[in-house]
Amino acid sequence: AQSVTQLDSHVSVSEGTPVLLRCNYSSSYSPSLFWYVQHPNKGLQLLLKYTSAATLVKGINGFEAEFKKSETSFHLTKPSAHMSDAAEYFCVVITSGTYKYIFGTGTRLKVLA
Amino acid sequence: DTEVTQTPKHLVMGMTNKKSLKCEQHMGHRAMYWYKQKAKKPPELMFVYSYEKLSINESVPSRFSPECPNSSLLNLHLHALQPEDSALYLCASSQDGRRETQYFGPGTRLLVL
């Protein structure tokens, strides 16, 4: 069965410092993986996706993620945090032949001034 | 354009009311989704429509009734809801469903009194 684990429920960083949000997945098949961001009382916005092309995926707003099959990981990074990055982040896996997104439990990112 | 629109933004209803949520997309997507999201939790899938036919119902109570009048429009009819149904209801769409990126609307914040 497919699953995704977000290793940190909360992450705090100072503005201008790097961001690392961790995600591990479990899948029997070659997965598609996504990161979404959700600001308070808003919908989910796609940051980036991995669909078996390049293992380093660049997304919007300076975010990127690296697919590491050997570690079953898809961690999200950003070199320099901005106050506007404070939000909830969801890692999602979807596998072959299904419509269903499997969501991680989310990581709340706090950015300190 | 990757926009999914939802109306209304906010809805307050009593337990005996009947109301509807509306979702619209003009991206030519053929799969549309309803999710329910409680505070501090990831979205939970409720229904999936593919090519205007209901393809997934995640054992949702019958007080929630989805409808897909055409390929651009998705409704969720609400009747005799309970206070625990208060949540953010998110609509999403994707190109044709399987393993495709889902694009989310901003959601309708529902409060049941």
Side-chain angles (χ1 to χ4, degrees):
Chain A
Q2 301 80 251
S3 67
V4 64
T5 302
Q6 291 184 243
L7 296 157
D8 306 293
S9 59
H10 292 82
V11 170
S12 290
V13 300
S14 297
E15 191 175 21
T17 64
V19 175
L20 170 64
L21 305 183
R22 298 182 294 165
C23 173
N24 286 104
Y25 71 91
S26 172
S27 174
S28 305
Y29 302 95
S30 178
S32 292
L33 292 153
F34 307 82
W35 276 100
Y36 283 84
V37 62
Q38 186 176 32
H39 289 92
N41 297 310
K42 301 287 187 186
L44 277 70
Q45 181 184 19
L46 178 69
L47 282 176
L48 50 81
K49 63 180 179 181
Y50 167 78
T51 53
S52 75
T55 56
L56 183 62
V57 182
K58 292 190 185 301
I60 62 170
N61 300 336
F63 285 95
E64 63 181 39
E66 187 171 7
F67 175 74
K68 291 187 176 179
K69 188 175 180 179
S70 60
E71 298 176 12
T72 60
S73 69
F74 190 58
H75 301 335
L76 182 70
T77 60
K78 182 173 180 178
S80 177
H82 192 272
M83 295 298 287
S84 60
D85 295 327
E88 188 83 22
Y89 290 78
F90 292 102
C91 183
V92 177
V93 66
I94 185 169
T95 51
S96 179
T98 178
Y99 294 102
K100 291 189 183 183
Y101 269 11
I102 309 297
F103 284 87
T105 50
T107 298
R108 181 160 297 268
L109 176 64
K110 188 173 180 180
V111 181
L112 306 170
Chain B
D1 183 12
T2 55
E3 190 177 27
V4 176
T5 59
Q6 290 187 243
T7 54
K9 285 189 178 9
H10 301 275
L11 180 62
V12 180
M13 60 187 289
M15 290 189 284
T16 58
N17 292 159
K18 285 185 182 180
K19 296 285 185 183
S20 296
L21 310 185
K22 179 178 168 182
C23 173
E24 201 160 2
Q25 57 87 14
H26 295 288
M27 296 178 278
H29 289 174
R30 303 311 301 268
M32 296 185 77
Y33 310 74
W34 280 117
Y35 288 87
K36 174 182 177 181
Q37 187 180 25
K38 300 286 272 185
K40 301 186 192 304
K41 298 287 187 184
E44 298 171 17
L45 183 64
M46 300 174 73
F47 303 103
V48 180
Y49 273 83
S50 176
Y51 293 85
E52 297 147 58
K53 288 185 170 34
L54 183 65
S55 61
I56 295 178
N57 176 342
E58 292 286 277
S59 304
V60 178
S62 60
R63 57 186 184 269
F64 295 91
S65 174
E67 180 197 19
C68 189
N70 59 57
S71 60
S72 301
L73 197 54
L74 185 66
N75 297 321
L76 186 63
H77 303 297
L78 314 172
H79 173 54
L81 294 193
Q82 305 296 309
E84 59 265 28
D85 297 321
S86 299
L88 182 67
Y89 287 84
L90 294 164
C91 174
S93 70
S94 67
Q95 197 141 16
D96 66 2
R98 298 182 189 279
R99 293 195 80 176
E100 292 288 337
T101 303
Q102 295 179 25
Y103 296 92
F104 286 80
T108 293
R109 174 72 62 189
L110 174 66
L111 178 62
V112 182
L113 299 176

